[in-house]
Amino acid sequence: MKELIKMVVVLTIISSLSGGVLAYVNDLTIDQRDYQNLINNQAPTLKTILEGASNDPLESKFEVKYGPKKMKCYVGVFDGKPNTVVYETYKSGYADKVYVMVGINLETDKIVGIGVTKHTETKGYGADAKEKPDLKNQFPGLDIMQEFKVKKEGGTIDAISGATITSAAVCKAVTEAGIRYKELKPELETQVKQFSN
Amino acid sequence: MAKSIAQEFKKGLWDEIPPFNLVLGLCPVLAVTKTIAGGIGMGLATTFVLVCSNLLVSLLRKVIPPKVRIACFIIIIATFVTIVKFALEAYAYDLYNELGMFIPLIVVNCVVLGRSEAFAYKNKFAPSIADGLGIGLGFTLSLGAIGAVREILGTGNLTFNILGQFKYEATEIFGSSFEPFTFLIEAPGAFVCVGLLLCLMNIVGKK
């Protein structure tokens, strides 16, 4: 009995110490990790989505509150009008979360472009959602206010062969972006006005 | 058992050099040694984990009950691996991308768990650090050597850049007419490469 108690106590203490240390290291490095993610993943995706914009999208950003969290939105100015917002949502894919950036035109409610940023999907399968254009090129021009599904689940989007789960995650993330858009549209419209000149 | 600390350190560099003479921890060895930079990066990450986990295990060896020792080792190792993962993601993003899945997999690298179980749990902390450092550096050198052979023969180039501090670049070492031996870049090539290097080491060691 005494041995049993000792085992439980030692394991508990070691586990909780480990948890504490990791939480501390997480806090310590989170800013730098976010920065690396921005430079290496988000910035290139943002530039492809907002190709042809007359401003620097990385510099034109604001935050809106969605639920308990703040959401970063980037603005694209086309023909002198700040009419496009881009923000990131995520859904669980095959390995872990798949982060997707979605650009939406505020005047037409249509998708301008999407792009996968951070992910840990398998190379040659799920990772093609980011590397290859086949999946993401199906979205531009579609109305954001709808539920996106891959064909296997009764939708309209062609999944990447061998990576249905990743493709479905991308669809769900875009759908999530639409749900947020419905709720936040008035606020987004007021916020983008600061970028018109 | 009364070996000096220097001996504990030295054994990791030849007598018990991990992927060769111990033939342990082969999974990351085969996967990340496509380039010398990947090999050395992985080796250094493993060394950090080895030294820290050896230190902690040897300090806690009287507290940890034998029946749950493996669970305790795994928690300790996993903690340090996660720290390495955070650090690489924050400060060496290219390396983080290249090693990818194999950073979290250091947790189940039997070299690390093996040293905790076979050495640190039975020894004081000073020899344990020496042991971890020796085995870790041996592992790093081996991975670097395999990576160098595979990169030079497989691509004809040799480049590495660790944290922007140590840079080296050589392209077309064998001249422009050299046809890269691409087999060595593939996974089977890694097996052949490890086998040949091990064979070479045995020949040298016997003399």
Side-chain angles (χ1 to χ4, degrees), chain A residues 89-128:
Chain A
T89 55
Y90 63 83
K91 282 287 167 195
S92 289
Y94 185 70
D96 202 349
K97 287 165 189 158
V98 178
Y99 290 78
V100 182
M101 275 198 150
V102 185
I104 304 160
N105 187 317
L106 283 166
E107 288 163 353
T108 60
D109 296 345
K110 284 194 170 132
I111 297 174
V112 178
I114 70 152
V116 174
T117 54
K118 203 165 123 178
H119 72 91
T120 47
E121 304 298 291
T122 321
K123 267 190 191 147
Y125 294 93
D128 282 354

Side-chain angles (χ1 to χ4, degrees), chain A residues 15 18 32-33 36 40-41, chain B residues 63 75 79 86 89-90 93:
Chain A
S15 311
S18 152
Q32 182 66 23
R33 283 189 288 138
Q36 294 278 18
N40 291 294
N41 288 324
Chain B
V63 187
I75 296 172
T79 310
F86 282 158
E89 191 180 353
Y93 199 84

Side-chain angles (χ1 to χ4, degrees), chain B residues 27-45:
Chain B
C27 167
V29 172
L30 301 177
V32 302
T33 53
K34 274 182 198 162
T35 60
I36 182 169
I40 291 181
M42 182 71 184
L44 290 177

Side-chain angles (χ1 to χ4, degrees), chain A residues 3 6-7 10-11 14-15 18 21-22 25-26 29 32-33 36-37 40-41 118, chain B residues 60 62-65 67-68 71-72 75-76 79 82-83 86 89-93:
Chain A
E3 200 194 339
K6 195 187 168 195
M7 289 196 303
V10 168
L11 256 182
I14 290 181
S15 311
S18 152
V21 169
L22 286 183
V25 177
N26 184 33
T29 53
Q32 182 66 23
R33 283 189 288 138
Q36 294 278 18
N37 184 28
N40 291 294
N41 288 324
K118 203 165 123 178
Chain B
L60 295 174
K62 297 219 168 91
V63 187
I64 297 172
K67 274 187 187 158
V68 289
C72 292
I75 296 172
I76 292 169
T79 310
T82 315
I83 292 175
F86 282 158
E89 191 180 353
Y91 301 106
Y93 199 84

